[in-house]
Amino acid sequence: MDKIKIYSWNVNGLRAAIKKGFLEWIKSSQGNIICIQEIKSTVEQLPDEAVNIGKFNSYFFPAERKGYSGTAIYSEIKPINVFYGFENPIYDVEGRVIIAEYEKFVLANVYFPNGGRGPERVRYKLDFYNELFFYLEKKFRDRKGIIVTGDFNTAHKEIDVAKPEAWSKVSGFLPEERAWITKILNLGYIDIFRKFHSEPGLYTFWDMRTHAREFNNGWRIDYFLVSDDIADNVTAANIHADVYGSDHCPISIDLKI
């Protein structure tokens, strides 16, 4: 396999997404690796057809708290190693990170914390960014390329939100959160979607309560950040806003290996 397609999607509850066509989508997606966030379930709570999907090996990391957070990877290519969390119990109890190591690259599937519950949670979120990327750099950077994907819960630039001025004091678009995305990019990561798309109005999340998707009042908070040593191997990056079933939509990259 010399080209692989990787998807990422915050499904906002895997059991709910299954009722909305998730399994049909995954089979028709032509994806080789599917990363999902906010599964909100344990493996035991899932139907067998969501655990054993055709050609895919599946890996689940649920949160200890029921009905909350959690991540999973479906991978046609069997990883060399799979790491559940990043060796910090403060974060790992929330099931936020699965890292799959392949021959040529490492893929971190991440559900970053939401800072919407006040300053303490914003601090927790920023500390999470710091510790995760320190771990990835220390463990993998000198050995192979790194891809970090998932729901970052932060929009980086004004082009990434429909209402930058109105939302500038809302968690997810606070100056200190945006500055952390910049800091990560300065470590040598590329926001690969923006390498291919410079136009506005392209979002990955819409608030359900305000029917924001109808008016495209969205946020681009789901990303693929690719280390600069393998960024040129990415041949396409896309947002799939026509796929429903969650308050987020899937994103994807095509990777030449």
Side-chain angles (χ1 to χ4, degrees), residues 39-46 59-72 84 91-98:
I39 61 172
K40 296 182 179 179
S41 55
T42 64
V43 178
E44 294 74 27
Q45 292 173 311
L46 295 169
Y59 307 91
F60 295 88
F61 190 33
E64 288 186 8
R65 179 176 149 196
K66 291 282 169 59
Y68 177 71
S69 187
T71 46
Y84 297 91
Y91 304 113
D92 293 348
V93 295
E94 297 192 348
R96 292 186 175 274
V97 183
I98 295 186

Side-chain angles (χ1 to χ4, degrees), residues 9 24 37 54 78-79 94 108 124 138 141 148 217 243-244:
W9 191 7
E24 291 75 16
Q37 305 89 42
K78 195 170 180 63
E94 297 192 348
Y124 176 93
K138 183 180 175 185
R141 190 60 184 265
V148 184
N217 288 330
V243 178
Y244 287 74

Side-chain angles (χ1 to χ4, degrees), residues 24-174:
E24 291 75 16
W25 170 79
I26 205 173
K27 288 168 186 170
S28 66
S29 68
Q30 298 183 313
N32 305 109
I33 304 171
I34 316 279
C35 299
I36 59 173
Q37 305 89 42
E38 231 182 330
I39 61 172
K40 296 182 179 179
S41 55
T42 64
V43 178
E44 294 74 27
Q45 292 173 311
L46 295 169
D48 180 70
E49 59 266 28
V51 178
N52 300 298
I53 305 180
K55 62 187 179 181
F56 294 104
N57 304 282
S58 61
Y59 307 91
F60 295 88
F61 190 33
E64 288 186 8
R65 179 176 149 196
K66 291 282 169 59
Y68 177 71
S69 187
T71 46
I73 295 177
Y74 295 99
S75 183
E76 183 182 356
I77 311 149
K78 195 170 180 63
I80 298 167
N81 288 301
V82 177
F83 304 90
Y84 297 91
F86 55 103
E87 300 173 17
N88 187 326
I90 294 171
Y91 304 113
D92 293 348
V93 295
E94 297 192 348
R96 292 186 175 274
V97 183
I98 295 186
I99 301 167
E101 181 181 1
Y102 298 91
E103 186 183 349
K104 301 285 189 182
F105 64 95
V106 170
L107 175 65
N109 172 28
V110 189
Y111 176 43
F112 288 82
N114 187 315
R117 283 181 276 158
E120 284 183 16
R121 197 63 181 178
V122 171
R123 183 74 258 157
Y124 176 93
K125 175 181 178 178
L126 297 180
D127 288 345
F128 179 97
Y129 276 117
N130 189 22
E131 292 211 24
L132 172 66
F133 278 88
F134 178 78
Y135 175 85
L136 292 172
E137 292 282 305
K138 183 180 175 185
K139 193 171 182 74
F140 301 111
R141 190 60 184 265
D142 61 345
R143 295 196 290 117
K144 52 187 71 179
I146 300 172
I147 300 169
V148 184
T149 191
D151 175 2
F152 279 64
N153 261 312
T154 298
H156 186 213
K157 296 187 174 178
E158 291 195 353
I159 193 175
D160 297 317
V161 293
K163 298 180 177 180
E165 196 170 328
W167 294 340
S168 62
K169 295 179 181 176
V170 177
S171 179
F173 200 57
L174 296 173

Side-chain angles (χ1 to χ4, degrees), residues 180-240:
W180 264 95
I181 299 285
T182 301
K183 185 174 180 179
I184 290 163
L185 297 181
N186 288 341
L187 281 174
Y189 290 85
I190 310 292
D191 174 5
I192 206 71
F193 179 78
R194 285 294 176 212
K195 180 181 174 183
F196 296 92
H197 304 273
S198 58
E199 62 270 37
L202 299 172
Y203 309 123
T204 64
F205 166 80
W206 303 263
D207 181 58
M208 280 180 165
R209 290 166 297 177
T210 57
H211 302 284
R213 202 160 184 170
E214 293 174 31
F215 309 101
N216 201 29
N217 288 330
W219 304 61
R220 189 174 74 95
I221 57 176
D222 301 85
Y223 292 83
F224 278 96
L225 299 190
V226 180
S227 60
D228 51 16
D229 52 334
I230 60 163
D232 287 344
N233 293 50
V234 178
T235 58
N238 290 292
I239 288 172
H240 302 273

